[in-house]
Amino acid sequence: HATSGYFENVTIAENCDVRGTIYANKIVGDMVAIKNYNIPAQSGVRTTTLLSGTVLAHAKNRLMLFTDIRITSTAGKLLHVSIYVDGVQVWCGRAGSATDGSYTANPPPLSIASGANRSFSIIVYTSDNSYLNIPEQDIQCTVVPTSSGTFA
C-alpha cells in the first residue's frame, strides 16, 4: 500500500480505478479522435453517400461532431442531408435551397453508444430525386467522451 511517493516509467497491465483527481501533462489514446474526410466534387448526382466510416468500440458513450456540409441544386429544391449510425437515421437536415441553389447543413452533436464499433454514413438527396452538385470540401468528424447514452 503506497500512500505517497513518486513513480517513473510504471506500467499498469490491466484496469486502474482512480478515485481522486488526475493531473496529466500528456495523455496518449483516444480521449478525442479527429478524422478529416476529403470529399471530391460531384456533379449531376441524385442520392449519394457523401462519406462513411467507423467509430471504434469504446467503453464510454461518445459524441460525434461534424463540420458543415455543403450541397447545391436547383433553387428552391428541398435538400436533405441525413446521418445514419448502424443503419439507423439519427439526424436529417432539410431545407429549401437558397436562390443560388446552395444549402449548408449544420449537424448537431450526435450521441454514440458504447460497446461496439459503430458505422456511420452521410447521405445527401433531394425530395424529388433531382440532380445535386457537391463542391469539393473537407468534412471533419470529431469524437469526444460524453455521459449521455441515447441517440439524438
Side-chain angles (χ1 to χ4, degrees):
H1 253 33
T3 57
S4 66
Y6 178 83
F7 291 99
E8 189 172 325
N9 296 321
V10 175
T11 299
I12 299 171
E14 289 292 327
N15 298 328
C16 177
D17 185 10
V18 178
R19 296 182 181 175
T21 303
I22 295 177
Y23 299 93
N25 291 333
K26 277 192 231 177
I27 296 177
V28 177
D30 70 346
M31 291 297 293
V32 174
I34 299 173
K35 183 161 184 173
N36 291 305
Y37 296 88
N38 179 263
I39 308 301
Q42 300 176 49
S43 296
V45 296
R46 295 183 190 267
T47 299
T48 188
T49 300
L50 200 57
L51 68 90
S52 60
T54 301
V55 177
L56 298 178
H58 199 279
K60 302 285 185 186
N61 297 322
R62 290 141 304 149
L63 283 179
M64 184 166 53
L65 306 118
F66 290 97
T67 52
D68 294 346
I69 301 164
R70 296 175 287 127
I71 57 177
T72 61
S73 185
T74 306
K77 293 289 181 182
L78 185 58
L79 304 174
H80 302 260
V81 176
S82 292
I83 299 177
Y84 291 80
V85 175
D86 293 338
V88 175
Q89 185 181 53
V90 295
W91 180 79
C92 182
R94 296 178 184 94
S97 58
T99 54
D100 66 355
S102 65
Y103 170 59
T104 300
N106 310 101
L110 302 170
S111 183
I112 302 297
S114 63
N117 289 351
R118 304 292 176 191
S119 62
F120 69 90
S121 58
I122 298 177
I123 297 175
V124 297
Y125 56 97
T126 63
S127 56
D128 65 357
N129 203 29
S130 58
Y131 290 107
L132 296 166
N133 295 310
I134 300 164
E136 180 178 356
Q137 60 192 296
D138 290 319
I139 297 175
Q140 185 180 78
C141 176
T142 304
V143 178
V144 297
T146 180
S147 59
S148 173
T150 59
F151 284 99

